[in-house]
Amino acid sequence: MKIIGITLLIGIVGFFIGKFIKHKSLYPFMPFKHDFRKRRDTFLKTMELMKRFGAKIIVETGTSREGLRGAKSNGAATIVFGKWTKENGAFMHSVDISEESVKNAQEEVDRQGLEKFVQIHQSDSLAFLENFNEKVDLLYLDSYDYSSDVEVQKKSQKHHLEEFKRIEGQLHDTTIVLIDDCDLPNGGKGKLVIAYMLERGWKILIESYQVLLVRENLILNETS
Ligand SMILES: C[S@@+](CC[C@H](N)C(=O)[O-])C[C@H]1O[C@@H](n2cnc3c(N)ncnc32)[C@H](O)[C@@H]1O
């Protein structure tokens, strides 16, 4: 009886330790309870680079349709980078084709007091990017949903490549590009756009669930 009790206790303690180790928060930047899991490290690096290069304009395709509740699933990038813009005198544009996604993201933006720093546009991302006439410091590509259906995967990959092509003329020497949902079967959202960028003078800084790219000739003098 005693052995069963001890085994049970060890199991419960192990369960919570495992949960704690997997939990990847952005604390103290965001409250500890939000788990950014597979995106935490790439978000941190992106924000570090934005600070270093004095980023002022952020463009995201695909908005935070679940608000901060979607930190672990969708990423909640609109809120993470939106908060960064508020604290660093920058501005963020997030574009989404879905009325519902826009509504949900706008509610979270308002809840977080980010409405002066984040503008959510309802539009197809391709049309939006085509007409965007400011220089972009961070481009975050995360729209057309990827799925297990190979035809959908191909459409998503083509869409993200096309997004990049439409905004390419507004990218400069220290622009940072972050692409979501890459470490997935058949190459994820980034497959075509990353191949395109690598042929055009970009390099990969981090290749994980998200892929982070900068210009090939950018010298970063990394200390960490
Ligand atoms: C994965 S969610 C974006 C998650 C968000 N970036 C975050 O970090 O929470 C993908 C979003 O892309 C949007 N989307 C799909 N196709 C699109 C298109 N052609 N143009 C703009 N948005 C699109 C969907 O409506 C959905 O809200």
Side-chain angles (χ1 to χ4, degrees), residues 5-68:
I6 291 171
T7 312
L8 201 65
L9 186 68
I10 291 172
I12 292 168
V13 170
F15 173 78
F16 283 107
I17 290 176
K19 260 188 125 35
F20 184 76
I21 290 171
K22 277 197 207 147
H23 184 90
K24 297 233 160 60
S25 85
L26 285 170
Y27 185 82
F29 179 68
M30 303 286 283
F32 182 80
K33 65 180 175 187
H34 301 300
D35 184 2
F36 292 93
R37 202 59 67 97
K38 55 200 173 204
R39 298 180 180 88
R40 195 267 305 269
D41 293 348
T42 25
F43 277 173
L44 278 176
K45 186 70 187 174
T46 301
M47 290 190 281
E48 181 211 314
L49 291 179
M50 284 201 289
K51 190 134 206 154
R52 211 190 294 186
F53 301 143
K56 291 289 170 237
I57 297 292
I58 296 172
V59 173
E60 172 188 49
T61 65
T63 201
S64 288
R65 58 184 162 196
E66 292 187 306
L68 263 175

Side-chain angles (χ1 to χ4, degrees), residues 60-65 70 74-78 95-98 101 123-126 140 142-145 159 163 181 189:
E60 172 188 49
T61 65
T63 201
S64 288
R65 58 184 162 196
N74 284 306
T78 316
V95 60
D96 202 294
I97 201 165
S98 147
S101 295
S123 163
D124 178 84
S125 57
L126 300 183
Y140 182 51
D142 184 20
S143 61
Y144 202 125
D145 283 307
H159 185 82
E163 284 185 341
D181 300 320
K189 290 179 178 176

